[in-house]
Amino acid sequence: MAPQRCSEGVGSEWEAGIGELGEAEILARVRGGETAAYGELVLMHASVAKRTAVFLGAGADADDVVQESFVKAFRALGSFRDGATFRPWLLRIVANETRNLMRSRGRRAKREELAVLPEAVLDPADEAADAERRAELLAAVRGLPEQYRLVVTCRYLLELDEQETATVLGWPRGTVKSRLHRALGRLRTQLPDREVQR
Amino acid sequence: MTSLEDELRALGRSAAVPPVADGLAARVLERVAEPPVRRSFGAALRSRWRSLLALLAILLAGALVAEPVRAQVAEWLDIGGVEAVQVPSGPTTAPGAPEVVGDLTVAEAAKSAGFTPVVPKALGTPKHVQASAGFVAMSWRTATGVVRLEQFQAEPQPYYFKKYYSELEYVQSIDGYWFSTPHELVLVKKTGAEQTVRVAGPTLVWVRDGVTYRLEGVPEKDRAVELAR
């Protein structure tokens, strides 16, 4: 009875609770030597890992980045703090791997950097105006200096919270806040303003 | 009227990301079942020396023998561009540090390395300097033999050094490690192929501002640490 009442009242919270519990359990099993249990963690987080890799610029190499990140995360489990959340920690590895990849692409990177963000899929139901606005927005985000692009990408495009963004980018929380503020300011000045009708 | 923030979220959701490759979990499991051959995730460790210390505690406690996973995790240690692997027994003697081949000036080396190398004041102008992209080596001749300092951007892909050591000591004042015993120095190529470079004597390794430093040829730890400051 109790669980049912819970699931009615605070559905998502309840589920999240189960998720974390399951995750901690899996981690404990992996650390206890049950390597195969790691496969469950991989399945649990693969899609957000890939999304992050793609958004941060891995492009066609995103699958390699994801695979490499999971392997590295496994090997670094010794440094993973008990009770911490696995996802931001993993995504930090993904972000680093993506950066390494981009760096190793060398001179090509400059050109490819412009293609960092995936094309927005145009929902057929969308109005043409929305599509246009999205394309503008995408171009504006692409054109931001790297730090701003990273913070906007993590915080809004990937919808990570502030703390997760800080963890993933390896910046202090205050830095995330201030850069985000400046990035949004820049986007506002570059985009034809829609928030205030002119 | 939606806010810019909401528009950005909508943009993120509308972006096409293809599904994850088939068999990802299986491939990851296959790879983690093998001993690590490539660079491990060092950045997180570097940025959190607390974790490093915890890891080191495991290393020093010799708790390697327990579960296979823990053993695998504990066997390596990343220090910038250096990966350290503990082995039961290492070489017992090492020749002195080799002299650098190359006669660049420090300024020329900075140019080809792409970063400005550090020169310890106490040692004066290096006798020889050599450089390549992301990497600078310099050496001095001193009364006790050759002193060699290598510095490279923390992740010198496609190469990194790997050391097989039997003892190391954490040096808190410079957040580095002192390899007190001779150890094998191995260069790992991007392909994963390993090439033994040589046996190195006592070495101090530390990372500062994204650059990894290896100081070799100074057999006393305190003196080495002093030079590293």
Side-chain angles (χ1 to χ4, degrees):
Chain A
M1 283 312 253
Q4 203 183 347
R5 220 171 55 226
C6 275
S7 69
E8 272 171 30
V10 280
S12 59
E13 228 171 276
W14 176 247
E15 273 171 37
I18 290 178
E20 272 164 38
L21 200 72
E23 187 176 284
E25 218 171 80
I26 295 171
L27 273 167
R29 274 158 61 201
V30 175
R31 288 171 143 176
E34 199 187 318
T35 308
Y38 190 65
E40 290 175 43
L41 272 186
V42 173
L43 292 176
M44 215 182 264
H45 298 285
S47 116
V48 68
K50 173 138 179 193
R51 205 169 162 75
T52 304
V54 169
F55 275 70
L56 293 181
D61 298 313
D63 280 315
D64 292 341
V65 165
V66 168
Q67 191 188 127
E68 196 62 33
S69 300
F70 275 112
V71 171
K72 288 187 175 175
F74 177 87
R75 292 186 186 145
L77 273 184
S79 73
F80 180 74
R81 206 160 30 83
D82 266 335
T85 323
F86 186 73
R87 189 176 85 153
W89 185 78
L90 170 77
L91 296 186
R92 168 103 190 252
I93 301 180
V94 172
N96 279 330
E97 275 300 297
T98 307
R99 204 191 51 212
N100 288 346
L101 170 83
M102 290 171 72
R103 205 187 288 159
S104 70
R105 278 179 189 160
R107 305 208 185 284
R108 271 194 303 148
K110 196 73 218 154
R111 192 155 33 93
E112 285 179 22
E113 211 167 284
L114 298 172
V116 154
L117 293 168
E119 286 300 335
V121 170
L122 304 178
D123 186 335
D126 273 359
E127 306 223 349
D130 276 354
E132 203 177 295
R133 172 70 176 179
R134 250 174 233 187
E136 268 171 17
L137 195 55
L138 187 64
V141 175
R142 278 176 177 167
L144 287 174
E146 195 188 0
Q147 291 175 337
Y148 294 162
R149 182 168 49 73
L150 286 175
V151 79
V152 166
T153 301
C154 287
R155 187 71 180 85
Y156 295 122
L157 301 188
L158 291 165
E159 298 186 62
L160 303 177
D161 66 28
E162 207 172 84
Q163 184 53 53
E164 287 177 323
T165 302
T167 305
V168 170
L169 296 177
W171 301 344
R173 225 171 139 160
T175 309
V176 167
K177 238 183 224 175
S178 58
R179 285 186 182 160
L180 199 56
H181 182 75
R182 270 176 253 145
L184 288 176
R186 220 180 242 242
L187 284 177
R188 283 203 178 93
T189 57
Q190 280 171 15
L191 288 163
D193 202 345
R194 265 252 219 112
E195 289 171 80
V196 183
Q197 299 287 335
R198 281 192 279 201
Chain B
M1 251 186 277
T2 46
S3 70
L4 177 57
E5 287 94 326
D6 287 340
E7 280 190 81
L8 287 166
R9 287 191 192 100
L11 175 67
R13 285 184 204 152
S14 72
V17 173
V20 178
D22 283 339
L24 168 73
R27 241 174 319 218
V28 169
L29 288 180
E30 233 167 74
R31 288 185 54 197
V32 300
E34 294 160 7
V37 285
R38 292 207 40 209
R39 243 191 96 66
S40 312
F41 174 49
L45 291 182
R46 276 198 301 282
S47 66
R48 293 193 207 154
W49 65 270
R50 226 176 256 275
S51 328
L52 256 176
L53 275 186
L55 185 58
L56 192 66
I58 299 175
L59 278 165
L60 297 181
L64 312 177
V65 278
E67 318 86 342
V69 171
R70 192 174 287 273
Q72 231 169 33
V73 168
E75 267 167 18
W76 54 263
L77 180 65
D78 264 343
I79 315 159
V82 170
E83 186 182 64
V85 183
Q86 192 177 30
V87 288
S89 63
T92 48
T93 55
E99 238 179 320
V100 169
V101 204
D103 289 307
L104 300 178
T105 64
V106 174
E108 286 165 348
K111 214 168 170 189
S112 46
F115 69 98
T116 310
V118 167
V119 182
K121 275 198 196 93
L123 292 171
T125 310
K127 181 148 177 64
H128 295 288
V129 181
Q130 170 190 359
S132 57
F135 183 93
V136 175
M138 49 184 77
S139 65
W140 295 260
R141 273 188 208 155
T142 69
T144 49
V146 172
V147 171
R148 181 183 173 102
L149 176 65
E150 289 174 3
Q151 23 197 314
F152 43 94
Q153 280 174 325
E155 290 160 70
Q157 289 187 344
Y159 303 120
Y160 69 93
F161 286 105
K162 190 168 183 170
K163 288 161 170 247
Y164 291 94
Y165 70 99
S166 55
E167 268 180 61
L168 63 68
E169 188 185 327
Y170 177 66
V171 185
Q172 193 173 358
S173 60
I174 54 159
D175 193 12
Y177 291 85
W178 173 246
F179 294 77
S180 58
T181 53
H183 49 273
E184 249 182 275
L185 203 54
V186 177
L187 200 61
V188 181
K189 298 183 180 174
K190 199 178 187 175
T191 55
E194 298 191 358
Q195 181 199 338
T196 301
V197 181
R198 58 196 158 87
V199 171
T203 304
L204 185 67
V205 179
W206 71 101
V207 181
R208 192 180 296 152
D209 297 333
V211 177
T212 307
Y213 298 88
R214 308 182 52 249
L215 179 65
E216 217 182 317
V218 182
E220 309 83 23
K221 184 185 95 182
D222 293 345
R223 167 84 175 136
V225 171
E226 202 180 295
L227 289 173
R229 280 173 196 273

PDB file of all heavy atoms in Angstrom, chain A residues 10-23:
ATOM      1  N   VAL A  10       4.494  11.527  -5.228  1.00  0.00           N
ATOM      2  CA  VAL A  10       5.742  12.087  -5.754  1.00  0.00           C
ATOM      3  C   VAL A  10       6.373  11.112  -6.720  1.00  0.00           C
ATOM      4  O   VAL A  10       7.455  10.602  -6.497  1.00  0.00           O
ATOM      5  CB  VAL A  10       6.725  12.416  -4.608  1.00  0.00           C
ATOM      6  CG1 VAL A  10       6.353  13.722  -3.960  1.00  0.00           C
ATOM      7  CG2 VAL A  10       6.741  11.314  -3.564  1.00  0.00           C
ATOM      8  N   GLY A  11       5.655  10.862  -7.790  1.00  0.00           N
ATOM      9  CA  GLY A  11       6.054   9.849  -8.750  1.00  0.00           C
ATOM     10  C   GLY A  11       7.514   9.871  -9.146  1.00  0.00           C
ATOM     11  O   GLY A  11       8.234   8.913  -8.919  1.00  0.00           O
ATOM     12  N   SER A  12       7.948  11.012  -9.675  1.00  0.00           N
ATOM     13  CA  SER A  12       9.301  11.036 -10.233  1.00  0.00           C
ATOM     14  C   SER A  12      10.348  10.883  -9.139  1.00  0.00           C
ATOM     15  O   SER A  12      11.360  10.211  -9.303  1.00  0.00           O
ATOM     16  CB  SER A  12       9.514  12.332 -11.005  1.00  0.00           C
ATOM     17  OG  SER A  12       9.323  13.417 -10.141  1.00  0.00           O
ATOM     18  N   GLU A  13      10.074  11.503  -7.998  1.00  0.00           N
ATOM     19  CA  GLU A  13      11.025  11.431  -6.893  1.00  0.00           C
ATOM     20  C   GLU A  13      11.207   9.987  -6.441  1.00  0.00           C
ATOM     21  O   GLU A  13      12.287   9.522  -6.170  1.00  0.00           O
ATOM     22  CB  GLU A  13      10.478  12.239  -5.725  1.00  0.00           C
ATOM     23  CG  GLU A  13      11.468  13.197  -5.106  1.00  0.00           C
ATOM     24  CD  GLU A  13      10.750  14.084  -4.117  1.00  0.00           C
ATOM     25  OE1 GLU A  13      10.166  15.089  -4.543  1.00  0.00           O
ATOM     26  OE2 GLU A  13      10.742  13.718  -2.933  1.00  0.00           O
ATOM     27  N   TRP A  14      10.067   9.336  -6.352  1.00  0.00           N
ATOM     28  CA  TRP A  14      10.056   7.947  -5.916  1.00  0.00           C
ATOM     29  C   TRP A  14      10.899   7.093  -6.867  1.00  0.00           C
ATOM     30  O   TRP A  14      11.749   6.320  -6.466  1.00  0.00           O
ATOM     31  CB  TRP A  14       8.603   7.474  -5.877  1.00  0.00           C
ATOM     32  CG  TRP A  14       8.380   6.043  -5.540  1.00  0.00           C
ATOM     33  CD1 TRP A  14       7.886   5.086  -6.357  1.00  0.00           C
ATOM     34  CD2 TRP A  14       8.652   5.418  -4.282  1.00  0.00           C
ATOM     35  NE1 TRP A  14       7.828   3.889  -5.703  1.00  0.00           N
ATOM     36  CE2 TRP A  14       8.295   4.057  -4.416  1.00  0.00           C
ATOM     37  CE3 TRP A  14       9.168   5.841  -3.064  1.00  0.00           C
ATOM     38  CZ2 TRP A  14       8.439   3.144  -3.382  1.00  0.00           C
ATOM     39  CZ3 TRP A  14       9.303   4.922  -2.035  1.00  0.00           C
ATOM     40  CH2 TRP A  14       8.943   3.601  -2.200  1.00  0.00           C
ATOM     41  N   GLU A  15      10.660   7.312  -8.153  1.00  0.00           N
ATOM     42  CA  GLU A  15      11.400   6.535  -9.142  1.00  0.00           C
ATOM     43  C   GLU A  15      12.887   6.835  -9.096  1.00  0.00           C
ATOM     44  O   GLU A  15      13.722   5.953  -9.190  1.00  0.00           O
ATOM     45  CB  GLU A  15      10.869   6.855 -10.542  1.00  0.00           C
ATOM     46  CG  GLU A  15       9.686   5.988 -10.920  1.00  0.00           C
ATOM     47  CD  GLU A  15       9.032   6.457 -12.189  1.00  0.00           C
ATOM     48  OE1 GLU A  15       9.787   6.900 -13.074  1.00  0.00           O
ATOM     49  OE2 GLU A  15       7.812   6.397 -12.272  1.00  0.00           O
ATOM     50  N   ALA A  16      13.183   8.138  -8.931  1.00  0.00           N
ATOM     51  CA  ALA A  16      14.586   8.521  -8.865  1.00  0.00           C
ATOM     52  C   ALA A  16      15.248   7.827  -7.683  1.00  0.00           C
ATOM     53  O   ALA A  16      16.379   7.370  -7.765  1.00  0.00           O
ATOM     54  CB  ALA A  16      14.705  10.031  -8.735  1.00  0.00           C
ATOM     55  N   GLY A  17      14.498   7.759  -6.589  1.00  0.00           N
ATOM     56  CA  GLY A  17      15.028   7.095  -5.391  1.00  0.00           C
ATOM     57  C   GLY A  17      15.401   5.662  -5.693  1.00  0.00           C
ATOM     58  O   GLY A  17      16.492   5.210  -5.372  1.00  0.00           O
ATOM     59  N   ILE A  18      14.521   4.981  -6.380  1.00  0.00           N
ATOM     60  CA  ILE A  18      14.789   3.589  -6.731  1.00  0.00           C
ATOM     61  C   ILE A  18      16.013   3.515  -7.644  1.00  0.00           C
ATOM     62  O   ILE A  18      16.897   2.693  -7.467  1.00  0.00           O
ATOM     63  CB  ILE A  18      13.567   2.962  -7.454  1.00  0.00           C
ATOM     64  CG1 ILE A  18      12.438   2.796  -6.456  1.00  0.00           C
ATOM     65  CG2 ILE A  18      13.929   1.633  -8.065  1.00  0.00           C
ATOM     66  CD1 ILE A  18      11.176   2.231  -7.057  1.00  0.00           C
ATOM     67  N   GLY A  19      16.048   4.443  -8.603  1.00  0.00           N
ATOM     68  CA  GLY A  19      17.159   4.461  -9.542  1.00  0.00           C
ATOM     69  C   GLY A  19      18.495   4.554  -8.832  1.00  0.00           C
ATOM     70  O   GLY A  19      19.411   3.789  -9.099  1.00  0.00           O
ATOM     71  N   GLU A  20      18.570   5.498  -7.890  1.00  0.00           N
ATOM     72  CA  GLU A  20      19.839   5.692  -7.198  1.00  0.00           C
ATOM     73  C   GLU A  20      20.214   4.491  -6.348  1.00  0.00           C
ATOM     74  O   GLU A  20      21.363   4.106  -6.265  1.00  0.00           O
ATOM     75  CB  GLU A  20      19.759   6.935  -6.314  1.00  0.00           C
ATOM     76  CG  GLU A  20      20.150   8.180  -7.065  1.00  0.00           C
ATOM     77  CD  GLU A  20      19.711   9.421  -6.344  1.00  0.00           C
ATOM     78  OE1 GLU A  20      19.782   9.433  -5.107  1.00  0.00           O
ATOM     79  OE2 GLU A  20      19.276  10.366  -7.024  1.00  0.00           O
ATOM     80  N   LEU A  21      19.182   3.946  -5.720  1.00  0.00           N
ATOM     81  CA  LEU A  21      19.431   2.794  -4.878  1.00  0.00           C
ATOM     82  C   LEU A  21      20.007   1.676  -5.739  1.00  0.00           C
ATOM     83  O   LEU A  21      21.006   1.057  -5.416  1.00  0.00           O
ATOM     84  CB  LEU A  21      18.110   2.359  -4.225  1.00  0.00           C
ATOM     85  CG  LEU A  21      18.259   1.510  -2.980  1.00  0.00           C
ATOM     86  CD1 LEU A  21      18.745   2.390  -1.847  1.00  0.00           C
ATOM     87  CD2 LEU A  21      16.909   0.887  -2.610  1.00  0.00           C
ATOM     88  N   GLY A  22      19.341   1.454  -6.903  1.00  0.00           N
ATOM     89  CA  GLY A  22      19.781   0.401  -7.804  1.00  0.00           C
ATOM     90  C   GLY A  22      21.210   0.648  -8.240  1.00  0.00           C
ATOM     91  O   GLY A  22      22.024  -0.267  -8.280  1.00  0.00           O
ATOM     92  N   GLU A  23      21.496   1.915  -8.523  1.00  0.00           N
ATOM     93  CA  GLU A  23      22.817   2.261  -9.016  1.00  0.00           C
ATOM     94  C   GLU A  23      23.903   1.979  -7.965  1.00  0.00           C
ATOM     95  O   GLU A  23      24.940   1.406  -8.267  1.00  0.00           O
ATOM     96  CB  GLU A  23      22.809   3.739  -9.394  1.00  0.00           C
ATOM     97  CG  GLU A  23      24.054   4.187 -10.077  1.00  0.00           C
ATOM     98  CD  GLU A  23      23.912   5.637 -10.512  1.00  0.00           C
ATOM     99  OE1 GLU A  23      23.209   5.879 -11.503  1.00  0.00           O
ATOM    100  OE2 GLU A  23      24.480   6.503  -9.846  1.00  0.00           O
TER     101      GLU A  23
END
